[in-house]
Amino acid sequence: MRQLIAGNWKMNGTSAALGEIEAVCEMVTARPPACDVLICPPATLIARAAAQAKGRIAIGGQDCHAQVSGAFTGDISAEMLKDAGASAVIVGHSERRQYHGETDAMVMAKAQAAWRAGLMAIICIGETEAQRVAGHALHICSGQIDNSVPDGLTASNTAIAYEPVWAIGTGRTPTSQEIAEVHDHIRTCLTKRFGKGEGAATRILYGGSMKPSNAAEILAISNVGGGLIGGASLKAQDFGAIFNASSANP
Ligand code: 13P
């Protein structure tokens, strides 16, 4: 299984940032990495980023609406993302869950919309600090999988992103042992529900303060199928150092 290294630019980037897309594409061309590379810029840049990338890397969205079209001012459908050149979309990021009140049921509907449009869904889960301190991290993650991952998951239509909320943008990361524990647990949940074929082959990304200095260690942990990178994906040099740290490790 090839790892997936995905950049989530969040609400960062205007036209000038297309230079970073080009720089990443040039790095990938000069030295093909062992992993798949995806950048999810803000929606305003998707079409231009896809035109710039010309297939050298994949481009994705950061969210989508569950419906195909309609009276939903400001929203963007999965079909629109696909039409703009996206091949993937992040759904259920903790910032969407926190600031937009997205529930597991809404996240599930968005993942189904992504599949309907032919996009890979990157479905985000992860515990808060209080939940971890209370000893509930594994339970929270399996509950989110049960309730926000639809039936019909395959290894090619979905990646799960484990992003502990307390590690996002904080510079703090779980220990390798803690990451392994959660990823092993997620793998068990996926194989139980989706079988030893698709459930075992689905990539489980780690996200939260991943950077060049910790990428190699995190990407070598068993059941880590890649990374979802925020801040460190905004600069091509840092992002490149992360995807070049990827091995063929599932
Ligand atoms: P940081 O890498 O900035 O901690 O963000 C992680 C994240 O939320 C990616 O989706």
Side-chain angles (χ1 to χ4, degrees):
M1 173 200 314
R2 271 167 81 82
Q3 291 188 322
L4 169 64
I5 302 296
N8 173 10
W9 281 11
K10 309 192 179 184
M11 198 173 74
N12 295 290
T14 53
S15 310
L18 293 170
E20 299 300 323
I21 302 270
E22 179 57 27
V24 166
C25 289
E26 283 171 12
M27 290 172 83
V28 163
T29 307
R31 180 183 161 195
C35 58
D36 297 331
V37 177
L38 166 72
I39 291 180
C40 301
T44 46
L45 288 180
I46 289 175
R48 280 178 290 167
Q52 181 96 42
K54 295 187 195 77
R56 292 174 292 175
I57 62 166
I59 299 296
Q62 299 175 10
D63 176 48
C64 66
H65 195 277
Q67 304 292 320
V68 179
S69 61
F72 303 105
T73 302
D75 279 317
I76 296 173
S77 72
E79 283 76 6
M80 290 168 179
L81 294 174
K82 173 87 174 175
D83 179 58
S87 56
V89 61
I90 299 166
V91 294
H93 192 282
S94 63
E95 288 151 14
R96 301 288 317 175
R97 292 176 185 263
Q98 184 180 351
Y99 303 131
H100 296 264
E102 293 191 8
T103 62
D104 282 335
M106 290 163 71
V107 175
M108 182 181 281
K110 287 173 182 226
Q112 285 166 327
W115 297 348
R116 182 189 66 217
L119 300 176
M120 176 178 63
I122 300 177
I123 305 174
C124 301
I125 62 169
E127 82 285 358
T128 62
E129 179 146 43
Q131 289 165 335
R132 173 160 284 270
V133 169
H136 297 154
L138 299 183
H139 177 69
I140 291 293
C141 289
S142 29
Q144 288 176 329
I145 289 182
D146 287 347
N147 298 313
S148 49
V149 178
D151 291 337
L153 167 145
T154 69
S156 50
N157 72 12
T158 302
I160 304 295
Y162 168 56
E163 298 206 306
V165 177
W166 52 273
I168 296 175
T170 59
R172 296 164 57 208
T173 55
T175 64
S176 293
Q177 207 178 348
E178 287 167 336
I179 294 174
E181 185 186 30
V182 178
H183 280 239
D184 289 351
H185 180 67
I186 295 169
R187 177 67 67 212
T188 303
C189 296
L190 293 177
T191 46
K192 254 194 212 151
R193 183 160 158 214
F194 300 105
K196 290 204 161 69
E198 302 302 331
T202 298
R203 293 180 285 198
I204 306 168
L205 317 183
Y206 169 79
S209 297
M210 218 167 138
K211 49 188 184 238
S213 59
N214 61 21
E217 183 179 343
I218 292 172
L219 292 172
I221 299 169
S222 79
N223 280 320
V224 171
L228 184 55
I229 295 104
S233 72
L234 295 171
K235 289 279 161 251
Q237 284 304 319
D238 289 344
F239 192 50
I242 294 172
F243 61 68
N244 283 327
S246 167
S247 60
N249 178 52

